[in-house]
Structures are given as structure tokens and as C-alpha cells.
Coordinates of all heavy atoms in Angstrom, one line a residue:
M615 N 184.3 144.1 110.9 CA 183.9 143.9 112.1 C 184.3 142.4 112.6 O 183.8 141.6 112.0 CB 182.4 144.0 112.4 CG 181.8 143.8 113.7 SD 180.2 144.5 113.6 CE 179.4 143.4 114.6
T616 N 185.2 142.3 113.5 CA 185.6 141.0 113.9 C 184.9 140.7 115.3 O 184.9 141.6 116.3 CB 187.1 141.2 114.2 OG1 187.4 142.1 115.1 CG2 187.8 141.1 112.8
I617 N 184.4 139.7 115.4 CA 183.8 139.2 116.6 C 184.7 138.1 117.1 O 185.1 137.2 116.5 CB 182.3 138.5 116.2 CG1 181.4 139.5 115.5 CG2 181.7 138.0 117.5 CD1 180.1 139.1 115.2
P618 N 184.8 138.2 118.5 CA 185.7 137.2 119.1 C 185.1 135.7 118.9 O 183.9 135.6 118.7 CB 185.7 137.5 120.6 CG 185.1 138.8 120.8 CD 184.4 139.2 119.4
M619 N 185.9 134.7 118.9 CA 185.5 133.4 118.6 C 184.4 132.8 119.5 O 183.5 132.1 119.3 CB 186.7 132.5 118.7 CG 186.4 131.1 118.1 SD 185.9 131.3 116.4 CE 186.0 129.7 115.9
S620 N 184.5 133.2 120.8 CA 183.5 132.9 121.8 C 182.1 133.4 121.5 O 181.1 132.7 121.7 CB 184.0 133.2 123.2 OG 184.0 134.6 123.3
E621 N 182.1 134.6 121.0 CA 180.8 135.2 120.5 C 180.3 134.5 119.4 O 179.0 134.2 119.3 CB 181.0 136.7 120.2 CG 181.3 137.5 121.4 CD 180.1 137.6 122.4 OE1 178.9 137.7 121.8 OE2 180.2 137.6 123.6
K622 N 181.1 134.1 118.4 CA 180.7 133.3 117.2 C 180.1 132.0 117.5 O 179.1 131.5 117.1 CB 181.8 133.2 116.2 CG 182.2 134.4 115.5 CD 183.3 134.0 114.5 CE 183.8 135.2 113.8 NZ 184.9 135.0 112.9
E623 N 180.8 131.4 118.5 CA 180.4 130.0 119.0 C 178.9 130.2 119.8 O 178.1 129.3 119.6 CB 181.4 129.4 120.0 CG 182.6 129.0 119.3 CD 183.7 128.5 120.2 OE1 183.5 128.5 121.4 OE2 184.7 128.0 119.7
K624 N 178.8 131.3 120.5 CA 177.6 131.5 121.2 C 176.5 131.6 120.1 O 175.3 131.1 120.4 CB 177.6 132.6 122.2 CG 178.4 132.5 123.4 CD 178.3 133.7 124.2 CE 179.3 133.7 125.4 NZ 179.4 134.9 126.2
M625 N 176.7 132.4 119.2 CA 175.7 132.7 118.2 C 175.4 131.4 117.3 O 174.1 131.1 117.1 CB 176.1 133.8 117.3 CG 176.1 135.1 117.8 SD 176.4 136.4 116.7 CE 174.9 136.5 115.8
L626 N 176.4 130.7 117.1 CA 176.3 129.4 116.3 C 175.4 128.4 117.2 O 174.4 127.7 116.7 CB 177.5 128.8 115.9 CG 177.5 127.5 115.2 CD1 176.8 127.8 113.8 CD2 178.9 127.0 115.0
T627 N 175.6 128.4 118.5 CA 174.9 127.6 119.4 C 173.4 128.0 119.4 O 172.5 127.1 119.4 CB 175.6 127.6 120.8 OG1 176.8 127.1 120.8 CG2 174.8 126.7 121.8
M628 N 173.3 129.3 119.6 CA 171.8 129.9 119.6 C 171.0 129.5 118.4 O 169.9 129.1 118.3 CB 171.8 131.4 119.9 CG 172.2 131.6 121.4 SD 172.3 133.4 121.7 CE 171.8 134.3 120.4
L629 N 171.7 129.6 117.2 CA 171.1 129.4 115.9 C 170.8 127.9 115.8 O 169.8 127.5 115.2 CB 172.0 130.0 114.7 CG 172.0 131.4 114.6 CD1 173.1 131.6 113.5 CD2 170.7 131.9 114.2
T630 N 171.7 127.0 116.2 CA 171.4 125.6 116.3 C 170.3 125.3 117.1 O 169.5 124.4 116.7 CB 172.7 124.8 116.6 OG1 173.7 125.3 116.0 CG2 172.5 123.4 116.6
E631 N 170.1 125.9 118.2 CA 168.9 125.7 119.1 C 167.6 126.1 118.4 O 166.7 125.3 118.4 CB 169.2 126.3 120.4 CG 170.2 125.7 121.3 CD 170.4 126.5 122.6 OE1 169.6 127.5 122.8 OE2 171.3 126.2 123.4
I632 N 167.7 127.3 117.8 CA 166.5 127.7 117.1 C 166.1 126.8 115.9 O 164.8 126.5 115.7 CB 166.8 129.2 116.5 CG1 166.9 130.1 117.7 CG2 165.7 129.6 115.5 CD1 167.4 131.5 117.3
Y633 N 167.1 126.4 115.2 CA 166.8 125.4 114.1 C 166.2 124.0 114.7 O 165.3 123.6 114.2 CB 168.2 125.0 113.4 CG 168.1 124.1 112.3 CD1 167.5 124.5 111.1 CD2 168.4 122.8 112.4 CE1 167.4 123.6 110.0 CE2 168.3 121.9 111.4 CZ 167.7 122.3 110.1 OH 167.6 121.5 109.1
D634 N 166.7 123.7 115.8 CA 166.2 122.3 116.4 C 164.7 122.6 116.7 O 163.9 121.8 116.5 CB 167.0 121.9 117.4 CG 168.4 121.5 117.2 OD1 168.6 121.1 116.0 OD2 169.3 121.4 118.0
Q635 N 164.5 123.7 117.4 CA 163.1 124.0 117.8 C 162.2 124.3 116.6 O 161.0 123.7 116.6 CB 163.1 125.4 118.6 CG 163.7 125.3 119.9 CD 163.8 126.6 120.7 OE1 163.4 127.6 120.1 NE2 164.4 126.6 121.8
L636 N 162.6 124.8 115.4 CA 161.9 124.9 114.4 C 161.6 123.5 113.7 O 160.4 123.3 113.2 CB 162.6 125.8 113.2 CG 162.6 127.3 113.6 CD1 163.4 128.1 112.6 CD2 161.1 127.8 113.6
E637 N 162.5 122.7 113.8 CA 162.2 121.3 113.2 C 161.2 120.6 114.1 O 160.5 119.8 113.5 CB 163.6 120.4 113.2 CG 164.5 120.8 112.1 CD 165.6 119.8 111.9 OE1 166.0 119.2 112.9 OE2 166.1 119.6 110.8
E638 N 161.3 120.7 115.4 CA 160.3 120.2 116.3 C 159.0 120.7 116.0 O 157.9 119.9 115.9 CB 160.7 120.4 117.6 CG 159.9 119.6 118.7 CD 160.3 119.8 120.1 OE1 161.4 120.1 120.3 OE2 159.4 119.8 121.1
L639 N 158.9 122.0 115.8 CA 157.6 122.7 115.6 C 157.1 122.2 114.2 O 155.9 122.0 114.1 CB 157.8 124.2 115.5 CG 156.6 125.1 115.1 CD1 155.4 124.8 116.3 CD2 156.9 126.5 115.1
E640 N 157.9 122.0 113.2 CA 157.4 121.4 111.9 C 156.8 120.1 112.0 O 155.7 119.9 111.5 CB 158.6 121.4 110.9 CG 158.3 120.9 109.6 CD 159.4 120.9 108.7 OE1 160.5 120.6 109.1 OE2 159.2 120.7 107.4
S641 N 157.3 119.3 112.8 CA 156.7 117.9 113.0 C 155.5 118.0 113.7 O 154.5 117.2 113.4 CB 157.8 117.0 113.6 OG 158.1 117.3 115.0
V642 N 155.4 118.8 114.8 CA 154.1 118.9 115.5 C 153.1 119.5 114.6 O 151.9 119.1 114.6 CB 154.4 119.8 116.7 CG1 153.0 120.3 117.4 CG2 155.2 119.1 117.8
L643 N 153.4 120.5 113.9 CA 152.3 121.0 112.9 C 151.9 120.1 111.9 O 150.8 120.1 111.6 CB 152.9 122.4 112.3 CG 153.1 123.6 113.1 CD1 153.7 124.7 112.4 CD2 151.7 124.0 113.7
E644 N 152.8 119.4 111.3 CA 152.5 118.4 110.4 C 151.4 117.3 110.9 O 150.5 116.9 110.3 CB 153.7 117.7 109.8 CG 153.5 116.7 108.7 CD 154.8 116.0 108.2 OE1 155.8 116.7 108.4 OE2 154.6 114.9 107.6
A645 N 151.8 117.0 112.0 CA 150.9 115.9 112.7 C 149.5 116.6 113.1 O 148.5 115.9 112.8 CB 151.5 115.5 114.1
S646 N 149.5 117.7 113.4 CA 148.3 118.5 113.8 C 147.4 118.8 112.5 O 146.2 118.5 112.5 CB 148.6 119.8 114.4 OG 147.3 120.5 114.7
F647 N 148.1 119.2 111.5 CA 147.3 119.4 110.2 C 146.8 118.1 109.6 O 145.8 117.9 109.1 CB 148.2 120.1 109.1 CG 148.2 121.5 109.5 CD1 149.5 122.2 109.3 CD2 147.3 122.3 109.7 CE1 149.6 123.5 109.5 CE2 147.3 123.6 109.9 CZ 148.5 124.3 109.7
S648 N 147.6 117.0 109.8 CA 147.1 115.7 109.3 C 145.9 115.2 110.0 O 145.0 114.8 109.5 CB 148.3 114.6 109.5 OG 147.9 113.4 109.0
D649 N 145.9 115.4 111.5 CA 144.7 115.1 112.1 C 143.4 115.9 111.8 O 142.4 115.5 111.6 CB 144.9 115.3 113.6 CG 145.9 114.2 114.2 OD1 146.1 113.2 113.6 OD2 146.4 114.4 115.3
H650 N 143.8 117.3 111.6 CA 142.7 118.1 111.1 C 142.1 117.8 109.8 O 140.9 117.8 109.6 CB 143.3 119.6 111.2 CG 142.1 120.6 110.9 ND1 141.1 120.8 111.8 CD2 142.0 121.4 109.8 CE1 140.3 121.8 111.4 NE2 140.9 122.1 110.2
R651 N 143.1 117.4 108.8 CA 142.6 117.0 107.5 C 141.7 115.7 107.6 O 140.7 115.6 107.0 CB 143.9 116.8 106.7 CG 143.9 117.4 105.3 CD 145.0 117.0 104.5 NE 146.0 116.5 105.3 CZ 147.4 117.0 105.4 NH1 147.6 118.2 105.0 NH2 148.3 116.3 106.2
F652 N 142.1 114.7 108.4 CA 141.4 113.5 108.6 C 140.1 113.8 109.2 O 139.0 113.3 108.7 CB 142.1 112.6 109.5 CG 141.4 111.3 109.8 CD1 141.3 110.2 108.9 CD2 140.8 111.1 111.0 CE1 140.6 109.1 109.0 CE2 140.1 109.9 111.3 CZ 140.0 108.9 110.4
H653 N 139.9 114.7 110.2 CA 138.8 115.1 110.7 C 137.8 115.7 109.8 O 136.6 115.5 109.7 CB 139.0 116.0 112.0 CG 137.8 116.5 112.8 ND1 137.0 115.5 113.4 CD2 137.1 117.6 112.7 CE1 135.9 116.3 113.9 NE2 136.0 117.5 113.6
M654 N 138.3 116.7 109.0 CA 137.5 117.4 108.0 C 137.0 116.4 106.9 O 135.9 116.5 106.5 CB 138.3 118.5 107.2 CG 138.5 119.8 108.2 SD 139.5 121.0 107.5 CE 138.6 121.3 106.0
N655 N 137.7 115.4 106.5 CA 137.4 114.5 105.6 C 136.2 113.6 106.1 O 135.3 113.3 105.4 CB 138.6 113.6 105.1 CG 139.5 114.3 104.1 OD1 139.1 115.3 103.4 ND2 140.6 113.7 104.0
S656 N 136.3 113.3 107.3 CA 135.4 112.4 108.0 C 134.0 113.3 108.0 O 132.9 112.6 107.8 CB 135.7 112.1 109.4 OG 136.8 111.1 109.3
E657 N 134.1 114.5 108.5 CA 132.9 115.4 108.5 C 132.3 115.5 107.1 O 131.1 115.3 106.9 CB 133.2 116.8 109.1 CG 133.5 116.8 110.5 CD 133.8 118.2 111.0 OE1 134.0 119.2 110.1 OE2 133.8 118.4 112.2
E658 N 133.0 115.8 106.0 CA 132.5 115.8 104.8 C 131.8 114.5 104.2 O 130.9 114.6 103.6 CB 133.7 116.4 103.8 CG 134.1 117.7 104.0 CD 132.9 118.7 103.8 OE1 132.0 118.6 102.9 OE2 132.9 119.7 104.8
Q659 N 132.5 113.4 104.5 CA 131.9 112.1 104.2 C 130.7 111.9 104.8 O 129.7 111.4 104.3 CB 132.9 111.0 104.5 CG 132.5 109.7 104.0 CD 132.7 109.7 102.5 OE1 133.5 110.4 101.9 NE2 131.9 108.8 101.8
E660 N 130.6 112.3 106.2 CA 129.2 112.2 106.8 C 128.1 113.0 106.3 O 127.0 112.6 106.1 CB 129.4 112.5 108.4 CG 128.3 112.3 109.2 CD 128.5 112.7 110.6 OE1 129.6 112.5 111.1 OE2 127.6 113.1 111.3
K661 N 128.5 114.2 105.9 CA 127.6 115.2 105.3 C 127.0 114.6 103.9 O 125.9 114.7 103.6 CB 128.2 116.5 105.0 CG 128.3 117.3 106.3 CD 129.1 118.7 105.9 CE 129.4 119.4 107.2 NZ 130.1 120.6 106.9
L662 N 128.0 114.0 103.2 CA 127.6 113.4 101.9 C 126.7 112.2 102.1 O 125.7 112.0 101.3 CB 128.8 113.0 101.1 CG 129.6 114.2 100.5 CD1 130.9 113.6 99.9 CD2 128.9 114.9 99.4
T663 N 127.0 111.4 103.1 CA 126.1 110.3 103.4 C 124.7 110.8 103.8 O 123.7 110.1 103.3 CB 126.7 109.5 104.5 OG1 128.0 109.0 104.0 CG2 126.0 108.2 104.7
V664 N 124.6 111.7 104.6 CA 123.3 112.2 105.1 C 122.5 112.7 103.8 O 121.3 112.5 103.8 CB 123.5 113.3 106.1 CG1 122.2 114.0 106.5 CG2 124.0 112.7 107.5
T665 N 123.2 113.6 103.0 CA 122.6 114.1 101.9 C 122.1 113.0 100.8 O 121.1 113.0 100.5 CB 123.5 115.1 101.1 OG1 124.0 116.0 102.1 CG2 122.8 115.7 100.0
L666 N 122.9 111.9 100.7 CA 122.5 110.9 99.8 C 121.3 110.2 100.5 O 120.4 109.8 99.6 CB 123.7 109.8 99.8 CG 123.4 108.6 98.9 CD1 123.2 109.0 97.5 CD2 124.5 107.7 99.1
H667 N 121.2 109.9 101.7 CA 120.0 109.3 102.3 C 118.8 110.3 102.1 O 117.7 109.7 101.8 CB 120.2 109.0 103.8 CG 121.1 107.9 104.0 ND1 120.9 106.6 103.7 CD2 122.3 107.8 104.6 CE1 121.9 105.8 104.0 NE2 122.8 106.5 104.7
R668 N 119.0 111.5 102.4 CA 117.9 112.5 102.2 C 117.3 112.4 100.7 O 116.2 112.4 100.5 CB 118.2 113.9 102.5 CG 118.4 114.1 104.0 CD 118.8 115.5 104.2 NE 118.9 115.7 105.8 CZ 119.4 116.6 106.3 NH1 119.9 117.8 105.6 NH2 119.6 116.8 107.7
L669 N 118.2 112.4 99.7 CA 117.8 112.4 98.3 C 117.1 111.0 98.0 O 116.2 111.1 97.2 CB 119.1 112.5 97.5 CG 119.6 113.9 97.3 CD1 121.0 113.9 96.5 CD2 118.7 114.8 96.6
S670 N 117.6 110.0 98.6 CA 116.9 108.7 98.5 C 115.5 108.7 98.9 O 114.6 108.2 98.4 CB 117.7 107.6 99.2 OG 117.1 106.4 99.1
D671 N 115.4 109.3 100.2 CA 114.1 109.4 100.8 C 113.2 110.3 99.9 O 112.0 110.0 99.7 CB 114.1 110.1 102.2 CG 114.8 109.1 103.1 OD1 114.8 107.9 102.9 OD2 115.1 109.5 104.3
I672 N 113.7 111.3 99.4 CA 112.9 112.2 98.6 C 112.4 111.4 97.2 O 111.3 111.5 96.8 CB 113.6 113.5 98.1 CG1 113.7 114.4 99.3 CG2 113.0 114.2 97.0 CD1 114.6 115.5 99.1
G673 N 113.3 110.6 96.8 CA 113.0 109.8 95.6 C 111.9 108.8 95.8 O 111.1 108.6 95.0
V674 N 112.0 108.2 97.1 CA 110.9 107.2 97.4 C 109.7 107.9 97.5 O 108.5 107.5 97.0 CB 111.4 106.5 98.6 CG1 110.2 105.7 99.2 CG2 112.5 105.6 98.4
K675 N 109.6 109.0 98.2 CA 108.4 109.8 98.3 C 107.9 110.3 97.1 O 106.6 110.3 96.7 CB 108.6 110.9 99.2 CG 108.8 110.6 100.7 CD 109.2 111.8 101.7 CE 109.4 111.3 103.0 NZ 109.7 112.4 103.9
S676 N 108.8 110.7 96.1 CA 108.3 111.1 94.8 C 107.7 110.0 94.1 O 106.6 110.2 93.3 CB 109.6 111.8 94.1 OG 109.2 112.1 92.8
A677 N 108.3 108.9 94.2 CA 107.7 107.7 93.4 C 106.4 107.3 93.9 O 105.5 106.9 93.2 CB 108.7 106.6 93.5
Q678 N 106.1 107.6 95.2 CA 104.9 107.2 95.9 C 103.9 108.2 95.2 O 102.6 107.9 95.1 CB 105.0 107.2 97.3 CG 105.7 106.1 98.0 CD 106.0 106.2 99.5 OE1 105.6 107.3 100.0 NE2 106.5 105.2 100.0
V679 N 104.2 109.6 95.3 CA 103.2 110.6 94.8 C 102.9 110.4 93.3 O 101.8 110.5 92.8 CB 103.9 112.0 95.1 CG1 103.1 113.0 94.6 CG2 103.8 112.1 96.6
N680 N 104.0 110.2 92.5 CA 103.9 110.1 91.1 C 104.4 108.7 90.8 O 105.6 108.5 90.5 CB 104.7 111.2 90.4 CG 104.5 111.2 88.9 OD1 103.6 110.5 88.4 ND2 105.3 112.0 88.3
P681 N 103.5 107.8 90.5 CA 104.0 106.4 90.3 C 104.5 106.2 88.9 O 105.2 105.2 88.5 CB 102.8 105.6 90.4 CG 101.6 106.5 90.2 CD 102.1 107.9 90.7
M682 N 104.5 107.2 88.0 CA 105.1 107.1 86.6 C 106.6 107.0 86.8 O 107.3 107.8 87.4 CB 104.7 108.2 85.9 CG 105.1 108.2 84.3 SD 104.8 109.7 83.3 CE 103.1 109.6 83.3
S683 N 107.1 106.0 86.1 CA 108.6 105.8 86.2 C 109.3 106.8 85.4 O 108.7 107.4 84.5 CB 109.0 104.4 85.8 OG 108.8 104.2 84.4
H684 N 110.6 107.0 85.6 CA 111.4 107.8 84.8 C 111.4 107.6 83.3 O 111.2 108.4 82.4 CB 112.9 107.8 85.3 CG 113.8 108.7 84.6 ND1 113.6 110.1 84.7 CD2 114.8 108.6 83.8 CE1 114.5 110.7 84.0 NE2 115.3 109.8 83.4
E685 N 111.5 106.3 83.0 CA 111.3 105.8 81.6 C 110.0 106.1 81.0 O 109.9 106.6 79.9 CB 111.7 104.3 81.4 CG 113.1 103.9 81.7 CD 113.5 103.9 83.3 OE1 112.5 103.7 84.1 OE2 114.7 103.9 83.6
E686 N 109.0 106.0 81.8 CA 107.6 106.2 81.2 C 107.4 107.8 80.9 O 106.9 108.2 80.0 CB 106.5 105.7 82.2 CG 106.5 104.3 82.3 CD 105.5 103.9 83.4 OE1 105.2 104.7 84.3 OE2 105.1 102.7 83.5
F687 N 108.1 108.6 81.9 CA 108.0 110.0 81.7 C 108.7 110.4 80.4 O 108.2 111.2 79.7 CB 108.6 110.7 82.9 CG 108.6 112.2 82.8 CD1 107.5 112.9 82.9 CD2 109.8 112.8 82.4 CE1 107.5 114.3 82.8 CE2 109.8 114.1 82.4 CZ 108.6 114.9 82.4
L688 N 109.9 109.8 80.1 CA 110.7 110.1 79.0 C 109.9 109.7 77.7 O 110.0 110.5 76.8 CB 112.0 109.6 79.0 CG 112.9 110.2 80.0 CD1 114.3 109.4 80.0 CD2 113.2 111.6 79.9
D689 N 109.3 108.6 77.8 CA 108.5 108.0 76.6 C 107.2 108.9 76.4 O 106.6 108.9 75.2 CB 108.1 106.7 76.7 CG 109.5 105.8 76.7 OD1 110.5 106.3 76.2 OD2 109.4 104.7 77.2
S690 N 106.7 109.5 77.4 CA 105.4 110.2 77.2 C 105.7 111.5 76.4 O 106.8 112.0 76.2 CB 104.8 110.6 78.5 OG 105.6 111.5 79.2
N691 N 104.7 112.1 76.0 CA 104.7 113.3 75.3 C 105.2 114.5 76.1 O 105.7 115.6 75.6 CB 103.3 113.8 74.6 CG 103.0 112.9 73.5 OD1 103.8 112.3 72.9 ND2 101.8 112.7 73.2
L692 N 105.0 114.4 77.4 CA 105.4 115.4 78.4 C 107.1 115.6 78.4 O 107.5 116.7 78.4 CB 105.0 115.3 79.7 CG 103.6 115.3 80.0 CD1 103.2 114.7 81.4 CD2 102.9 116.6 79.7
G693 N 107.7 114.5 78.2 CA 109.1 114.5 78.3 C 109.9 114.6 77.0 O 111.0 114.8 76.9
A694 N 109.1 114.4 75.9 CA 109.6 114.3 74.6 C 109.8 115.7 73.9 O 108.9 116.5 74.1 CB 108.8 113.4 73.6
V695 N 110.8 115.9 73.2 CA 111.1 117.2 72.5 C 110.4 117.0 71.1 O 110.8 115.9 70.5 CB 112.5 117.5 72.5 CG1 112.8 118.8 71.7 CG2 113.0 117.7 73.9
P696 N 109.6 117.9 70.6 CA 109.1 117.8 69.3 C 110.2 117.7 68.3 O 111.2 118.3 68.3 CB 108.3 119.0 69.1 CG 108.2 119.7 70.5 CD 109.2 119.1 71.3
K697 N 110.0 116.7 67.3 CA 111.0 116.4 66.4 C 111.1 117.6 65.4 O 112.1 117.7 64.7 CB 110.8 115.2 65.6 CG 110.9 113.9 66.5 CD 110.6 112.6 65.7 CE 110.8 111.5 66.7 NZ 110.7 110.2 66.1
S698 N 110.2 118.5 65.3 CA 110.2 119.6 64.4 C 111.0 120.7 64.9 O 111.3 121.6 64.1 CB 108.7 120.0 64.1 OG 108.2 120.5 65.3
L699 N 111.4 120.7 66.2 CA 112.2 121.7 66.8 C 113.6 121.6 66.4 O 114.3 120.6 66.6 CB 112.0 121.6 68.4 CG 112.7 122.6 69.1 CD1 112.2 124.1 68.8 CD2 112.7 122.4 70.6
K700 N 114.1 122.5 65.7 CA 115.5 122.7 65.4 C 116.1 123.8 65.9 O 115.6 124.9 65.8 CB 115.6 122.7 63.8 CG 115.1 121.3 63.1 CD 115.4 121.4 61.6 CE 114.9 120.1 61.0 NZ 115.1 120.2 59.6
L701 N 117.4 123.7 66.5 CA 118.2 124.8 67.1 C 119.2 125.2 66.2 O 119.8 124.4 65.6 CB 118.5 124.4 68.5 CG 117.5 124.0 69.4 CD1 118.2 123.5 70.8 CD2 116.5 125.1 69.7
E702 N 119.4 126.5 66.1 CA 120.6 126.9 65.2 C 121.4 127.9 66.2 O 121.0 128.6 67.0 CB 120.1 127.7 64.1 CG 119.3 127.0 63.1 CD 118.9 127.8 62.0 OE1 119.3 128.9 61.8 OE2 118.0 127.4 61.1
L703 N 122.7 127.7 66.1 CA 123.6 128.5 66.6 C 124.0 129.6 65.7 O 124.4 129.4 64.6 CB 124.9 127.8 67.1 CG 124.6 126.7 68.2 CD1 126.0 126.0 68.4 CD2 124.2 127.3 69.5
G704 N 124.0 130.9 66.1 CA 124.3 132.0 65.3 C 125.2 132.9 66.2 O 125.3 133.0 67.2
F705 N 126.0 133.5 65.2 CA 127.0 134.5 65.9 C 126.7 135.9 65.4 O 126.3 136.2 64.3 CB 128.3 134.2 65.6 CG 128.8 132.9 66.2 CD1 128.8 131.7 65.6 CD2 129.3 132.8 67.5 CE1 129.0 130.5 66.1 CE2 129.6 131.7 68.1 CZ 129.6 130.4 67.4

């Protein structure tokens, strides 16, 4: 099948235009995704900060309710594991 030269040139021109449009679309999408990624990272950072503050507040309230420190709890009999307890792994 032979296509006249003018038809080949028209197709080549159309393909070149499509290629140029695809390159432009790629750059637009890359910028859009970059902005979206930045926005999502900011939201996640904000959520983590809020959660950290809430955990800190819970820790303060817990310390007010139970004044025993973490180290005191570990040293007490409540937090200690009996030395006579031995664990075995069996198959």
C-alpha cells in the first residue's frame, strides 16, 4: 500500500502535534501531582501533630490521676515479672 507523500506528511504532522500535546499534558500532570503530594504531606503532618498533642494531654491527665511514675511502676511488684516464671518454646 503506497501512500502519496503529501498524505505521509499530513500524518507525520498530526503525530507530531499529538506528541507535543502529550508532552505538555505530562508536564501539567507532573505539576498537579506534585502539588497534590505536597498537600497530602501537609495534611498528614498536621494530623500527626494533633495526635501527638492529644497523647501528651492524655499523659498529663494520667499523671494527675495516677501520680506513680513509670519507673516506680516498673519497680513495684505490679509491673515486675516473677523471676520463677520461665517460658519455653516448643514445636
Side-chain angles (χ1 to χ4, degrees):
M615 178 166 142
T616 57
I617 299 176
M619 191 60 167
S620 63
E621 289 293 319
K622 287 182 182 179
E623 289 175 356
K624 286 180 186 178
M625 289 188 72
L626 184 60
T627 303
M628 288 178 8
L629 289 173
T630 304
E631 289 175 6
I632 291 171
Y633 179 78
D634 291 341
Q635 290 174 358
L636 286 173
E637 280 188 334
E638 184 179 334
L639 178 62
E640 179 184 19
S641 65
V642 169
L643 286 175
E644 185 177 337
S646 176
F647 282 134
S648 178
D649 289 344
H650 187 64
R651 237 185 335 249
F652 177 77
H653 180 68
M654 285 179 59
N655 284 339
S656 296
E657 283 181 353
E658 291 302 315
Q659 191 67 29
E660 183 178 333
K661 288 177 185 178
L662 288 172
T663 303
V664 168
T665 303
L666 180 64
H667 287 299
R668 286 180 181 169
L669 285 172
S670 177
D671 291 344
I672 290 171
V674 169
K675 289 177 183 177
S676 174
Q678 290 172 352
V679 170
N680 185 9
M682 184 184 296
S683 69
H684 180 68
E685 290 80 16
E686 291 172 344
F687 178 75
L688 291 177
D689 291 340
S690 72
N691 289 335
L692 296 174
V695 177
K697 293 184 180 184
S698 63
L699 180 64
K700 293 184 181 180
L701 300 176
E702 294 182 15
L703 293 176
F705 293 96

